[in-house]
């Protein structure tokens, strides 16, 4: 299925409007959030040069052949000056370029109040609303912005490569916590098997005695891999706690050669299996609700704090208050109370706010 009668130019204009909060973007978002379609979001992350773009290209083509309408979002958290890298991505997208149902878009703007992840969060429903069924998001596996973007995905695919060495892999421990499916790319290199076994062992340590709903085989558990498994809570949040939940997903580890496409069919299957499971256990639904809550919280925080930090001419209320604290006139706690008390009164930020919103909705106010 090709996207709804929304031509590429209209879609690009909508995304730019949302990305940069241009006039009209709220109308676009209202429609998109209310009618987000049935898209599944797949995040692809991993170290620089692992072959993520090549793999995304192969995966997009594989999904397109199966009749999916695929959107690719290349997100660059590192800097807005990355024209070179993104141009490189375009050049490597030569397989997917053959399919009219594949749409490519890069994103490096910081014009959005929620930063890169805020912009990505808004663009996902816009793509879903345009009837894309698979949205692939590529980021470079480095830093908090990357993790935030990956949090928006229904399924996170971590791409690793042979030969990075135990040290480097360990320093990328963050990546070992966020994957739903692991791919060891560059399987044509001799060291690929070793890397695959290492990741598998690391996961086996975590899932000891638990086969997982998908029954992936487990290996031994050498102590050296334990350090890869810090941040147990983050892992549990994604996969369910193996010790308490009756239904657990044990992330599979697969070998690929992105340049030839070898292993990509199995990777598509594993991803689809995860998505099926996450849907059937309502994880996708719960996570999406949580995303919107988090986004609202970010926007509320930014809006409510703004009057305190902005200064028209002289001191901001925050600077003024800091000076009063330094002069011994109030404790920080007392100062915060004083600052917020009138705002709370005015905004009626108390019980009853939902009733107020509902009554306004009833009269067409919201
Ligand atoms: N030998 C081999 N080379 C590969 C494979 N997959 C990708 N490459 C090559 O690895 C290089 C990097 O590939 P990219 O797809 O740009 O990797 P990336 O992870 O997107 O890179 P960044 O976005 O810059 O982090 C390119 O020269 C690819 O042709 C593979 O399976 N085997
Ligand atoms: Mg890339």
């Amino acid at each position: 299925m090709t996207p709804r009668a929304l031509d590429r130019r209209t879609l690009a204009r909508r995304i730019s409007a949302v990305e940069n909060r241009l006039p009209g973007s709220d109308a676009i978002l209202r429609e998109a959030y209310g009618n987000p379609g049935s898209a599944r979001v797949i995040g692809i992350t991993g170290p620089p040069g692992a072959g993520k773009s090549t793999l995304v290209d192969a995966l997009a083509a594989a999904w397109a052949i199966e009749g999916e309408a695929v959107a690719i979002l290349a997100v660059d958290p590192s800097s807005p000056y990355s024209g070179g890298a993104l141009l490189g991505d375009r050049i490597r997208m030569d397989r997917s370029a053959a399919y009219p149902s594949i749409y490519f878009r890069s994103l490096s703007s910081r014009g959005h109040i929620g930063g890169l992840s805020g912009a990505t969060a808004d663009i996902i429903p816009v793509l879903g609303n345009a009837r894309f069924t698979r949205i692939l998001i590529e980021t470079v596996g480095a830093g908090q912005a990357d993790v935030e973007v990956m949090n928006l995905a229904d399924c996170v695919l971590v791409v690793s490569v042979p030969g990075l060495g135990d040290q480097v892999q360990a320093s990328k421990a963050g990546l070992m916590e966020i994957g739903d499916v692991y791919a060891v790319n560059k399987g044509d290199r001799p060291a690929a098997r070793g890397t695959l076994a290492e990741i598998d062992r690391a996961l086996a340590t975590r899932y000891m005695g638990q086969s997982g709903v998908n029954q992936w085989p487990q290996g031994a558990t050498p102590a050296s891999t334990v350090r890869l498994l810090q941040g147990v809570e983050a892992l549990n949040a994604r996969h369910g706690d193996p010790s308490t939940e009756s239904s657990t997903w044990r992330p599979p580890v697969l070998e690929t050669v992105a340049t030839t496409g070898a292993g990509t069919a199995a990777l598509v299957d594993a991803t689809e299996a995860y998505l099926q499971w996450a849907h059937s256990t309502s994880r996708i639904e719960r996570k999406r609700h949580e995303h919107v809550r988090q986004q609202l919280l970010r926007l509320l925080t930014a809006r409510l704090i703004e009057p305190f930090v902005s200064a028209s001419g002289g001191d901001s209320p925050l600077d003024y208050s800091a000076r009063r604290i330094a002069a011994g006139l109030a404790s920080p706690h007392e100062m915060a109370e004083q600052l917020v008390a009138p705002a709370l009164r005015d905004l009626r930020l108390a019980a009853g706010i939902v009733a107020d919103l509902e009554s306004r909705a009833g009269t067409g106010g919201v």
Side-chain angles (χ1 to χ4, degrees):
M1 187 177 65
T2 48
R4 197 172 43 131
L6 196 68
D7 63 74
R8 297 296 163 99
R9 202 185 271 171
T10 309
L11 181 60
R13 214 180 299 127
R14 285 189 180 189
I15 292 175
S16 295
V18 166
E19 188 182 2
N20 301 302
R21 297 285 305 140
L22 303 178
S25 61
D26 285 318
I28 295 169
L29 288 177
R30 232 178 291 131
E31 194 203 319
Y33 276 91
N35 212 340
S38 59
R40 291 286 177 253
V41 184
I42 298 110
I44 294 100
T45 190
K52 298 180 294 297
S53 299
T54 317
L55 200 56
V56 164
D57 183 42
L59 290 172
W63 263 304
I65 288 169
E66 288 182 13
E68 306 288 354
V70 186
I72 300 170
L73 266 186
V75 178
D76 188 346
S78 56
S79 87
Y81 311 108
S82 55
L86 292 169
L87 184 64
D89 279 337
R90 275 185 207 283
I91 289 165
R92 274 186 284 279
M93 295 290 167
D94 44 4
R95 271 170 289 201
S96 39
Y99 297 90
S101 57
I102 298 179
Y103 174 78
F104 179 91
R105 169 83 188 205
S106 60
L107 200 67
S108 60
S109 153
R110 287 166 181 255
H112 198 284
I113 193 171
L116 212 43
S117 59
T120 309
D122 277 345
I123 288 167
I124 288 168
V126 172
L127 289 168
N129 180 260
R131 298 291 179 268
F132 286 100
T133 55
R134 294 290 177 274
I135 301 171
L136 311 188
I137 306 180
E138 179 193 340
T139 65
V140 172
Q144 188 57 29
D146 176 69
V147 172
E148 279 171 20
V149 171
M150 281 301 123
N151 264 333
L152 298 168
D154 299 319
C155 176
V156 174
L157 220 161
V158 173
V159 183
S160 208
V161 270
L164 282 184
D166 206 31
Q167 278 313 88
V168 184
Q169 298 280 7
S171 75
K172 303 270 182 215
L175 292 178
M176 292 304 298
E177 291 149 20
I178 64 170
D180 300 307
V181 178
Y182 287 82
V184 175
N185 191 41
K186 310 204 181 181
D188 49 332
R189 292 201 180 155
R193 282 286 143 80
T195 306
L196 195 136
E198 190 190 329
I199 293 173
D200 202 50
R201 278 197 303 271
L203 291 167
T205 312
R206 179 68 199 114
Y207 288 82
M208 205 172 338
Q210 298 274 332
S211 56
V213 281
N214 46 332
Q215 307 285 317
W216 296 90
Q218 296 178 57
T221 58
S224 68
T225 57
V226 171
R227 65 196 148 86
L228 285 171
L229 295 159
Q230 295 142 352
V232 164
E233 279 173 20
L235 192 67
N236 289 346
R238 285 206 64 80
H239 308 290
D241 183 347
S243 61
T244 60
E245 290 208 12
S246 55
S247 172
T248 304
W249 174 264
R250 159 82 153 81
V253 191
L254 303 164
E255 190 176 291
T256 56
V257 184
T259 38
T260 66
T264 43
L267 196 54
V268 166
D269 287 348
T271 305
E272 290 292 337
Y274 176 79
L275 289 169
Q276 274 285 326
W277 176 76
H279 174 70
S280 68
T281 56
S282 300
R283 274 173 170 72
I284 292 181
E285 201 184 329
R286 285 204 303 268
K287 238 181 119 205
R288 289 191 175 182
H289 177 81
E290 185 56 26
H291 290 161
V292 179
R293 263 189 97 252
Q294 289 297 333
Q295 203 185 1
L296 271 173
L297 212 54
R298 266 200 308 270
L299 295 172
L300 272 175
T301 309
R303 288 295 301 276
L304 292 175
I305 278 177
E306 205 269 335
F308 297 111
V309 295
S310 68
S312 52
D315 267 1
S316 71
L318 220 52
D319 290 322
Y320 173 77
S321 305
R323 254 188 282 285
R324 287 178 67 82
I325 292 165
L329 297 170
S331 81
H333 303 270
E334 288 167 329
M335 205 65 243
E337 265 319 303
Q338 281 180 34
L339 282 171
V340 88
L344 282 179
R345 262 199 312 276
D346 284 356
L347 290 168
R348 288 179 289 139
L349 270 181
I353 197 162
V354 169
D356 181 50
L357 279 171
E358 279 174 349
S359 78
R360 281 159 70 194
T363 57
V366 174

